[in-house]
Amino acid sequence: AQSVTQPDIHITVSEGASLELRCNYSYGATPYLFWYVQSPGQGLQLLLKYFSGDTLVQGIKGFEAEFKRSQSSFNLRKPSVHWSDAAEYFCAVGPREYGNKLVFGAGTILRVKS
Amino acid sequence: DGGITQSPKYLFRKEGQNVTLSCEQNLNHDAMYWYRQDPGQGLRLIYYSQIVNDFQKGDIAEGYSVSREKKESFPLTVTSAQKNPTAFYLCASNLRLAPDTQYFGPGTRLTVL
């Protein structure tokens, strides 16, 4: 079945440590790819997106993501996490045959310990 | 200041009542979306509209209704037929031509008492 998987429900990292959040999808053609962040009780904010071209994408707040076609993955990374990064992160996939509709992963809650 | 507004932020409803959630955008976007968010389930698409006077069901449309009479507005009605309406509801919009980024409103938390 077509899906978007974020295998980690919760991740805890120490402030200053590196971070990688995983996202895998199971759609045939390369879809449009997004990472969003959500603070409690708020809407979603776009961190970065991939439509085509360079597979390493830079986003806001020091985040980056790499698209790997062979692994059907779009993992989010940050070299040094700040306490303010604590939030929930969603990977979203836009299959090209869907137009601009998105399918979301279940989310990963990031906790940052000092 | 361009963006998407949702009102109210918190909404309480008695069982058996219909309730309407507001979503307005001034981004001149063609397409608008309604999502439902429950803990641990990500966002699920309820309805979407790509042009005025036209809309399509998403994955979980049962118990919900929408209208799109104006480009700027896409209200969602949660009817009494929705079995478990307590959730966080998010509205989003983007241009119709793909690819384009969806931008989100701040959400409405609906609680059924």
Side-chain angles (χ1 to χ4, degrees), chain A residues 18-66:
Chain A
S18 63
L19 171 70
E20 182 170 32
L21 303 182
R22 296 180 289 162
C23 175
N24 293 91
Y25 61 89
S26 59
Y27 294 90
T30 299
Y32 309 125
L33 299 163
F34 305 82
W35 275 99
Y36 287 88
V37 62
Q38 184 183 36
S39 297
Q42 305 296 316
L44 274 66
Q45 180 184 21
L46 178 73
L47 284 175
L48 45 76
K49 62 190 177 188
Y50 173 79
F51 291 163
S52 65
D54 192 347
T55 56
L56 185 61
V57 179
Q58 301 298 319
I60 62 171
K61 305 185 181 188
F63 285 92
E64 68 177 26
E66 186 171 12

Side-chain angles (χ1 to χ4, degrees), chain B residues 52-91:
Chain B
V52 174
N53 292 323
D54 187 49
F55 48 83
Q56 289 78 40
K57 293 181 180 179
D59 301 317
I60 57 165
E62 185 175 351
Y64 300 98
S65 66
V66 293
S67 62
R68 187 86 187 277
E69 298 176 1
K70 298 187 300 181
K71 188 175 185 178
E72 305 79 22
S73 178
F74 191 41
L76 172 74
T77 296
V78 184
T79 76
S80 57
Q82 169 49 234
K83 295 285 187 285
N84 185 19
T86 294
F88 192 54
Y89 291 87
L90 288 158
C91 178

Side-chain angles (χ1 to χ4, degrees), chain B:
Chain B
D1 216 11
I4 303 173
T5 57
Q6 292 186 243
S7 61
K9 187 168 178 61
Y10 298 98
L11 189 56
F12 297 90
R13 189 195 92 175
K14 293 181 180 179
E15 281 194 28
Q17 289 181 337
N18 292 355
V19 64
T20 298
L21 283 59
S22 169
C23 177
E24 304 274 335
Q25 54 96 2
N26 60 5
L27 300 168
N28 200 31
H29 283 167
D30 311 295
M32 297 185 74
Y33 308 80
W34 274 106
Y35 293 92
R36 171 181 172 136
Q37 184 177 18
D38 297 282
Q41 296 195 47
L43 277 68
R44 293 181 290 167
L45 183 63
I46 304 173
Y47 269 98
Y48 65 103
S49 167
Q50 297 195 52
I51 54 173
V52 174
N53 292 323
D54 187 49
F55 48 83
Q56 289 78 40
K57 293 181 180 179
D59 301 317
I60 57 165
E62 185 175 351
Y64 300 98
S65 66
V66 293
S67 62
R68 187 86 187 277
E69 298 176 1
K70 298 187 300 181
K71 188 175 185 178
E72 305 79 22
S73 178
F74 191 41
L76 172 74
T77 296
V78 184
T79 76
S80 57
Q82 169 49 234
K83 295 285 187 285
N84 185 19
T86 294
F88 192 54
Y89 291 87
L90 288 158
C91 178
S93 70
N94 61 5
L95 295 172
R96 184 180 179 188
L97 189 62
D100 193 49
T101 301
Q102 283 188 26
Y103 293 94
F104 284 80
T108 292
R109 180 161 302 279
L110 172 64
T111 302
V112 174
L113 303 174

Side-chain angles (χ1 to χ4, degrees), chain A residues 1-5 25-28 98:
Chain A
Q2 297 178 325
S3 65
V4 180
T5 302
Y25 61 89
S26 59
Y27 294 90
Y98 286 18

